[in-house]
């Protein structure tokens, strides 16, 4: 069974920084896309940063220049460095990965349990 576990969420003042981590564990053969989404009450889950299958990065305009995604393939871990945080960045941040597990017929979309980020003004 494959699991994604996020960490690093916290309460921070506007202008501050946080670094989120997400580690994938279990019987993993390979991981394709990995990324971070966030969800706020009343809104759909939205992409904040991702590695595509080709290895390029993708950010929405709302976080470009402030958020940076990185990954450690050897440790099946993805990070999200968030700088100059704003109150509108508040939400639950979810890690996402396309994972091929041992004994599975194909890649499966996997999600973490989420970590809360709160930015105070």
């Amino acid at each position: 069974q494959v699991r994604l576990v996020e960490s690093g969420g916290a309460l921070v003042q506007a202008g501050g920084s946080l670094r989120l981590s997400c580690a994938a564990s279990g019987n993993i053969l390979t991981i394709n896309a990995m990324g971070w989404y966030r969800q706020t009450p009343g809104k759909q889950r939205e992409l904040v940063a991702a590695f595509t299958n080709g290895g390029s990065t993708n950010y929405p305009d709302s976080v470009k220049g402030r958020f940076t995604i990185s990954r450690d393939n050897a440790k099946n871990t993805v990070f999200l460095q968030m700088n100059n945080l704003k109150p509108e960045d508040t939400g639950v941040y979810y890690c996402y990965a396309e994972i091929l597990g041992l004994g599975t017929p194909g890649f499966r979309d996997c999600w973490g349990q989420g970590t809360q980020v709160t930015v105070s003004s």
Side-chain angles (χ1 to χ4, degrees):
Q1 187 174 355
V2 175
R3 292 181 63 206
L4 296 179
V5 179
E6 302 104 331
S7 62
L11 170 64
V12 64
Q13 287 189 331
S17 297
L18 282 176
R19 188 179 192 231
L20 306 183
S21 299
C22 171
S25 62
N27 294 321
I28 297 170
L29 291 178
T30 191
I31 300 176
N32 275 349
M34 294 189 84
W36 292 91
Y37 287 71
R38 70 183 173 202
Q39 188 158 24
T40 54
K43 292 186 178 181
Q44 288 187 331
R45 194 173 294 188
E46 61 175 344
L47 172 73
V48 292
F51 282 104
T52 66
N53 288 343
S56 60
T57 56
N58 185 22
Y59 303 95
D61 289 342
S62 58
V63 307
K64 277 182 181 177
R66 299 189 299 121
F67 289 11
T68 303
I69 190 171
S70 59
R71 65 192 286 180
D72 183 337
N73 290 327
K75 296 182 178 179
N76 291 330
T77 301
V78 65
F79 305 95
L80 183 66
Q81 178 66 42
M82 304 185 292
N83 297 328
N84 190 23
L85 282 161
K86 303 176 180 181
E88 52 263 42
D89 294 319
T90 294
V92 180
Y93 283 68
Y94 294 91
C95 174
Y96 159 83
E98 289 180 352
I99 296 177
L100 179 64
L102 184 65
T104 59
F107 284 89
R108 188 167 67 94
D109 294 342
C110 300
W111 293 89
Q113 81 288 352
T115 186
Q116 177 70 44
V117 171
T118 303
V119 184
S120 63
S121 57

